[in-house]
Amino acid sequence: MSHVMNTYARQPVAFVRGEGVWLWDEAGKKYLDALAGIAVNTLGYAHPRLTAALIKRIQSGVIHTSNLWRIPDQEAAADRVAEITGLDEIFFCNSGLEATEASIKVARKYGHDKGIAEPAIIVMEKAFHGRSLATLSATGSRKVQAGFEPLVQGFVRVPLNDLDAVRQVAAHNRNVSAVLIEPIQGEGGINVSRLDYLRELKQVCDENGWLFISDEVQCGLGRSGKWFVYQHAGFQPDVVALAKGLASGVPVGACVVGGRAKGVFKPGNHGSTFGGNPLAMTAVVTTIDTIKEEGLLANSTRVGEMLMSSLRNQIGNAVADIRGMGLMIGIELKEPCGELVKHALDAGLVINVTADTVVRLLPPLVMKEAEARQVVERLVPLVKAFLDKRAAA
């Protein structure tokens, strides 16, 4: 019996080796990975540059010192994150919820600095921001919140892509200090914000002096074909929350601020013992440099478009929707389809189902077109068989 706490309904497969976009289990069976550890393994597996950099860092003997001292690797990572985000100050932490939690604290501090006694943050229905008490309160899922009440107050929920709802809040609630949005909702089912909506939402923030917080924990770091989804919409947010793909598998998060949020946090306002440690920072620097040098943003666009068009051609008429951006794709079926995860594993393919009815594809950004074609070849028959079985029932 395992002593691991029973918080996940795990599949009975253990991956013990990886190379590129391929994984092998304990029995030696080979799998094509179209999930990347849930958008984490940006460079796939055993990438020579990442492997060499991490080994060198470990061999130095210094993988942790704490933020009581200067950390040169952290300064190098911050420079790179500032360059790709276009923002100014980076706080490194260890996970997506920590990055979002820090963003929420920035928004509250910003509100207090403006004289708002109880600052409120506008959040979206179906959003997922984490599982700490504050981030699960911001999350738009009763399933995530149930059993953990009382929730943290100070969140006002509106539907995604509904600007009128935001304007209604603006007209009646003088306590709002920020909007928090995933430009593409991951756990919620690959729900994509319209770019004109994002631009108009930013305009409402500007009109009211609110912070625009872009939670790009899942959709950021090149997955959409640009470094960040907000760059498709052509504006700068005030705060960006990052994690998942930022270090290609080494745990890391980042709360990045600029614009109205610059300078809100002062010494003593926030901290993290492990945040920005040399091991994680080596992985951040190497991941960002490799994305640039291997042209992985363009690859994400090209391979993602090929995946999307192939899926639409072959099953587009049979499913409810196929949507996404770059290498972040959701195939929505008309009924719960969780069993497809097991069927895919049997076929040597790693996928995921989220929001009960959405097959989620988040491959490593190093996936080539030939490998993406194999994803389609393995997945399409499974979806067709599932639909045929449901039709027969």
Side-chain angles (χ1 to χ4, degrees):
M1 189 191 95
S2 170
H3 292 285
V4 174
M5 189 179 281
N6 185 25
T7 54
Y8 286 89
R10 297 172 193 265
Q11 294 294 325
V13 175
F15 299 118
V16 295
R17 186 167 74 83
E19 188 175 333
V21 297
W22 299 94
L23 288 164
W24 286 262
D25 68 13
E26 293 167 305
K29 181 176 175 178
K30 187 179 181 183
Y31 301 80
L32 179 54
D33 180 20
L35 189 62
I38 320 179
V40 169
N41 300 321
T42 303
L43 304 180
Y45 302 92
H47 192 288
R49 283 193 58 170
L50 182 67
T51 302
L54 291 176
I55 289 171
K56 185 178 175 187
R57 169 46 59 202
I58 290 167
Q59 286 176 336
S60 76
V62 179
I63 60 174
H64 175 82
T65 59
S66 94
N67 289 293
L68 297 175
W69 328 106
R70 272 191 58 227
I71 303 174
D73 290 291
Q74 187 181 130
E75 293 165 7
D79 288 346
R80 282 162 173 79
V81 173
E83 182 197 337
I84 63 173
T85 57
L87 300 181
D88 301 299
E89 300 173 343
I90 295 90
F91 173 82
F92 286 109
C93 47
N94 311 287
S95 67
L97 85 76
E98 288 179 49
T100 313
E101 184 96 17
S103 303
I104 291 167
K105 285 181 68 176
V106 168
R108 287 196 169 184
K109 179 78 165 48
Y110 172 78
H112 279 284
D113 290 349
K114 287 175 62 175
I116 301 172
E118 295 187 1
I121 300 172
I122 295 175
V123 291
M124 306 297 153
E125 291 175 6
K126 299 185 181 175
F128 181 88
H129 296 295
R131 294 179 184 272
S132 67
L133 284 173
T135 56
L136 73 79
S137 299
T139 290
S141 162
R142 278 303 298 145
K143 196 164 78 172
V144 170
Q145 296 168 344
F148 300 106
E149 297 84 354
L151 299 179
V152 174
Q153 298 200 319
F155 297 103
V156 181
R157 202 169 306 285
V158 298
L160 186 70
N161 284 319
D162 184 343
L163 200 70
D164 286 342
V166 177
R167 290 196 184 280
Q168 285 294 313
V169 176
H172 297 105
N173 189 332
R174 307 316 302 162
N175 289 333
V176 173
S177 66
V179 170
L180 169 60
I181 182 172
E182 294 170 277
I184 304 175
Q185 294 179 335
E187 305 302 313
I190 316 297
N191 305 314
V192 184
S193 303
R194 296 192 321 272
L195 296 183
D196 62 337
Y197 164 77
L198 290 175
R199 281 189 284 266
E200 289 168 8
L201 187 59
K202 176 64 166 70
Q203 199 175 329
V204 173
C205 287
D206 292 344
E207 289 165 7
N208 291 278
W210 302 341
L211 301 184
F212 188 109
I213 306 173
S214 196
D215 176 347
E216 303 228 9
V217 167
Q218 190 168 139
C219 62
L221 269 300
R223 189 147 291 282
S224 69
K226 289 187 185 287
W227 286 108
F228 305 103
V229 179
Y230 65 79
Q231 291 167 342
H232 291 277
F235 65 83
Q236 291 293 93
D238 300 288
V239 184
V240 183
L242 303 177
K244 289 195 184 288
L246 183 55
S248 301
V250 179
V252 72
C255 175
V256 189
V257 304
R260 280 185 283 270
K262 185 178 178 180
V264 169
F265 269 179
K266 305 287 194 298
N269 285 151
H270 202 48
S272 168
T273 297
F274 292 110
N277 68 77
L279 183 69
M281 297 300 97
T282 296
V284 170
V285 168
T286 308
T287 298
I288 291 173
D289 288 353
T290 305
I291 290 172
K292 285 181 184 172
E293 288 170 31
E294 296 191 1
L296 297 185
L297 301 185
N299 188 68
S300 181
T301 299
R302 185 172 59 250
V303 177
E305 285 173 355
M306 187 242 116
L307 258 175
M308 194 105 75
S309 63
S310 297
L311 291 166
R312 281 180 175 148
N313 287 341
Q314 296 186 43
I315 51 172
N317 294 332
V319 299
D321 195 19
I322 298 175
R323 56 182 177 262
M325 197 181 268
L327 286 174
M328 186 171 189
I329 296 171
I331 305 161
E332 184 175 358
L333 277 63
K334 290 162 187 165
E335 53 204 316
C337 58
E339 68 192 63
L340 283 171
V341 173
K342 174 72 169 64
H343 298 164
L345 285 172
D346 293 342
L349 178 65
V350 180
I351 61 165
N352 166 253
V353 169
T354 192
D356 293 330
T357 59
V358 181
V359 175
R360 175 169 54 168
L361 303 179
L362 301 163
L365 301 195
V366 294
M367 180 170 275
K368 299 180 174 73
E369 286 190 55
E371 294 158 343
R373 275 192 285 276
Q374 289 189 59
V375 172
V376 175
E377 285 163 12
R378 295 179 190 208
L379 180 60
V380 164
L382 301 177
V383 173
K384 285 181 174 173
F386 174 84
L387 296 172
D388 288 346
K389 191 173 91 175
R390 284 294 184 274

